[in-house]
Amino acid sequence: MTSRLRLTPFPSLQGLLLSLLLSFSLSLQAAPERHAIATAHPIATAAADQILNAGGNAFDAAIAASATLGVVEPYGSGLGGGGFYLLRLVEDDGSVRHLFVDARETAPLKAHPDLYRDEGGDVQRAPSINGALAAGIPGLPAALVHLAEHYGKLPLSQSLAPAITAAEHGFAVTTRYQALGGFRLEAMRSDPETARLFLRDNEIPAEGTLIRQPELAQTLRLLAANGRAGFYQGPVAEQLLKGVQAAGGIWQQADFDQYRIIEREPVSFRLGDTEVISSPLPSAGGIALAQILQGQQHLPATDYASTARTHHLVELMRRSYRDRSVLLGDSDFVDVPVAHLLSADYAAQLARQIDPEQATPSASLGEPQLFSEGNNTTHFSLLDAQGNGVAATLSINLPFGAAMTIPGTGVILNNEMDDFAADIHGVNEYGLAGGKANAVEAGKRPLSSMTPTILDSPDQLMLIGTPGGSRIITMVLLGIEAARQGANAEQIVTRPRFHHQYLPDRIQHESDTFNADERKALEALGHDLHEVGRDYGDMQLVIWHKGSDTLEAASDPRGVGESRVEAAAP
């Protein structure tokens, strides 16, 4: 990363030692003494800020942000879903460690590889997208309790209070709500409770319409009062199971009893003096970032915005997503050669395959295998005054999940079962590729692109992430690229985006990513370019410049989020 602290080189040994000492001291500086927050909605940002100002730490604030986002972004996350939390923990002695909290949904215990096949053996897409059979076992409620019990300073009831208030008082419909609701309108109309809560006269509400969720407020109160038992046992659990089973779903109490949060070691690798800490399986993100960023080190140096650099990145994306399609899945269920895939030697091998003058047809890399992934989640990044940080990406998969809300609970079901490879040879809605490693299996966690990531160097700390389905990984990659070129937080979140995912074999991009000459040059290399017709992503970013002790936070202008940096003390 480009530092904002310029060190003048000294010719003497004394000067060299002084420089090394200063660099070492910066690496140990673990407290910005202020806090910074970026979330996808102003009400969630205010909730996290409220908890930090009340004496909570980053993990208490993460609970507040998570629960509140689930209220005000019912299209992106919620108690009926799950997600990943990447934690930065500052110990009492000033040392720093990182931890990945896996709150991904699990397949119900009655699930099996042929769950979505009809009597004729054909895979039926609709049951994995809409309704009760599409829902995995939620992990978010367990994650909120886990964070409070193991890492927070405040009682869960205090951290959940802003979300309860938001559910009771309501939030105003935004243009983003309208757009994502419009994408799922027919499915929402088909469920009376979803239509009652989130539509008006069976139509998308007008901008500014107040959406209140008193049943969800009560569910949050029970979670706050009783912890895990408030959701996975008792009246809420009974209502959830009754509603799911009545609608043809396969949830049972044993699913709730056996659900567990898993703490995992993050993926970690170095780029010069920068440590990249990212998401391990069942996220494909950390492995992909390691392959692409390390592979880039073995390719000829290119200008940042050049066609050659775009070509190199696309070719590395192509190969990484090919590995994802064939090899990656829940490592608690399948044997994945993680160490090999993360190694610098393997990244160099991928780089050596690249022809600098010609795009590689994806079909030449092997037999295609297909799977899908929902494209709407949410993300937040925050850092407290002690240097503790959280980058978290949460999801219910498609907008408004399975478009089914269980009466009496306010809980919208996820449709994360669609992230499994229901048909490892068939074409799907998003054109993503996947194999047997990600097949449906009881208790298994579906593969995900959610990639909360932290970059830490002697002079700078960055927490980054975004929603966006299969494009999450490449958005985070481009954000890291921009940061390493010295871009500020606002420039990073606004950077135009492009993406390649092996299949379909084309560069997907926003409308303003390439000019006419750049398009022509890429096409001359054999690339097929496809403008996606809309902007995508909703990146949330926090940067701490350790040398100058300044904080930046930025929310993607493509969304409706808000970032805050606590004012410096007078």
Side-chain angles (χ1 to χ4, degrees):
M1 285 187 176
T2 301
S3 170
R4 290 198 174 185
L5 181 66
R6 301 297 183 187
L7 297 178
T8 304
F10 294 88
S12 65
L13 178 60
Q14 180 182 9
L16 177 62
L17 291 173
L18 179 61
S19 177
L20 290 173
L21 180 61
L22 178 57
S23 176
F24 180 69
S25 68
L26 287 175
S27 69
L28 291 181
Q29 185 181 356
E33 299 181 354
R34 292 185 295 146
H35 65 250
I37 307 160
T39 87
H41 199 285
I43 296 176
T45 299
D49 192 48
Q50 174 185 329
I51 293 302
L52 288 169
N53 288 329
N57 61 19
F59 315 114
D60 299 306
I63 295 167
S66 300
T68 305
L69 284 168
V71 173
V72 300
E73 284 195 311
Y75 45 78
S77 65
L79 292 183
F84 297 141
Y85 294 80
L86 183 57
L87 311 185
R88 181 183 197 261
L89 300 108
V90 179
E91 307 288 14
D92 291 340
D93 63 1
S95 63
V96 174
R97 67 184 177 100
H98 299 93
L99 183 68
F100 184 80
V101 175
D102 178 355
R104 184 71 160 148
E105 300 90 338
T106 59
L109 295 174
K110 290 185 177 181
H112 53 83
D114 296 324
L115 183 63
Y116 299 109
R117 293 189 186 276
D118 61 18
E119 293 180 358
D122 296 324
V123 170
Q124 302 300 304
R125 291 277 297 155
S128 71
I129 297 173
N130 301 321
L133 203 61
I137 306 306
L140 186 64
L144 302 181
V145 175
H146 184 86
L147 290 171
E149 290 180 347
H150 295 278
Y151 303 107
K153 295 169 59 179
L154 304 180
L156 183 61
S157 58
Q158 185 172 354
S159 298
L160 288 180
I164 294 169
T165 298
E168 289 179 325
H169 293 181
F171 68 94
V173 169
T174 64
T175 54
R176 183 172 179 84
Y177 181 110
Q178 291 176 316
L180 293 170
F183 177 69
R184 297 285 283 152
L185 180 57
E186 290 307 315
M188 294 170 72
R189 284 171 171 167
S190 69
D191 181 63
E193 186 71 354
T194 299
R196 181 183 71 83
L197 287 168
F198 302 111
L199 301 179
R200 295 295 180 266
D201 297 325
N202 238 23
E203 299 293 340
I204 301 299
E207 185 177 357
T209 300
L210 204 62
I211 303 294
R212 292 189 174 94
Q213 301 167 81
E215 296 88 354
L216 181 58
Q218 179 59 19
T219 297
L220 285 164
R221 284 194 196 92
L222 290 171
L223 182 67
N226 303 314
R228 181 186 172 100
F231 186 90
Y232 296 95
Q233 298 173 15
V236 172
E238 292 171 4
Q239 289 172 305
L240 290 171
L241 294 174
K242 180 181 178 180
V244 166
Q245 291 167 8
I250 55 175
W251 287 11
Q252 54 187 324
Q253 184 61 46
D255 291 308
F256 287 176
D257 294 342
Q258 293 188 29
Y259 184 85
R260 292 292 181 270
I261 294 297
I262 300 177
E263 293 192 345
R264 303 184 189 274
E265 284 296 316
V267 164
S268 179
F269 59 96
R270 299 198 71 84
L271 297 173
D273 68 350
T274 298
E275 183 181 12
V276 181
I277 305 105
S278 193
S279 306
L281 293 172
S283 168
I287 290 175
L289 289 180
Q291 291 177 336
I292 297 168
L293 289 167
Q294 291 182 122
Q296 194 178 33
Q297 309 305 302
H298 296 279
L299 292 168
T302 54
D303 291 338
Y304 172 62
S306 66
T307 297
R309 193 178 191 89
T310 300
H311 174 65
H312 290 167
L313 286 174
V314 165
E315 290 301 307
L316 288 167
M317 290 174 188
R318 182 196 310 275
R319 286 158 174 81
S320 179
Y321 275 80
R322 164 64 186 174
D323 280 352
R324 168 204 171 108
S325 75
V326 176
L327 298 173
L328 301 191
D330 184 347
S331 56
D332 294 335
F333 283 75
V334 295
D335 187 15
V336 180
V338 173
H340 172 66
L341 295 173
L342 287 173
S343 70
D345 288 344
Y346 182 64
Q349 178 184 328
L350 294 179
R352 286 194 296 270
Q353 298 172 7
I354 295 173
D355 183 342
E357 305 297 331
Q358 184 65 42
T360 304
S362 290
S364 70
L365 298 179
E367 180 184 356
Q369 302 178 44
L370 300 163
F371 75 94
S372 68
E373 182 170 2
N375 62 357
N376 196 66
T377 57
T378 193
H379 180 88
F380 65 85
S381 297
L382 56 87
L383 187 71
D384 70 20
Q386 291 71 47
N388 300 297
V390 181
T393 311
L394 313 173
S395 183
I396 52 174
N397 203 32
L398 289 178
F400 291 92
M404 180 177 179
T405 307
I406 303 301
T409 69
V411 174
I412 304 174
L413 301 184
N414 69 81
N415 59 356
E416 297 289 2
M417 293 297 290
D418 190 52
D419 277 1
F420 284 113
D423 182 355
I424 63 172
H425 298 296
V427 177
N428 64 87
E429 184 175 355
Y430 294 101
L432 275 168
K436 293 180 180 178
N438 193 40
V440 179
E441 189 172 348
K444 192 177 186 181
R445 298 175 190 230
L447 192 63
S448 173
S449 292
M450 294 187 292
T451 312
T453 298
I454 295 173
L455 272 70
D456 200 353
S457 71
D459 58 301
Q460 188 166 291
L461 175 74
M462 182 169 80
L463 298 95
I464 185 172
T466 180
S470 62
R471 301 185 186 115
I472 289 175
I473 299 167
T474 56
M475 282 188 275
V476 172
L477 169 72
L478 295 177
I480 293 171
E481 279 272 291
R484 295 177 69 201
Q485 295 298 317
N488 64 32
E490 196 67 30
Q491 291 168 332
I492 293 169
V493 300
T494 56
R495 173 182 173 166
R497 292 161 182 163
F498 63 90
H499 169 78
H500 198 292
Q501 60 183 40
Y502 164 61
L503 291 175
D505 189 354
R506 62 193 185 189
I507 299 175
Q508 303 173 37
H509 63 92
E510 295 178 321
S511 60
D512 59 348
T513 301
F514 304 116
N515 62 35
D517 289 340
E518 290 167 338
R519 288 180 62 95
K520 185 176 180 180
L522 288 166
E523 288 168 348
L525 291 171
H527 293 290
D528 178 23
L529 275 69
H530 173 70
E531 184 179 321
V532 297
R534 60 180 177 85
D535 292 338
Y536 60 85
D538 194 5
M539 186 173 286
Q540 308 297 324
L541 177 69
V542 166
I543 301 176
W544 172 32
H545 303 281
K546 300 177 186 177
S548 59
D549 195 20
T550 57
L551 287 168
E552 290 184 86
S555 291
D556 200 323
R558 297 166 181 82
V560 297
E562 181 181 276
S563 60
R564 292 188 186 182
V565 173
E566 184 183 28

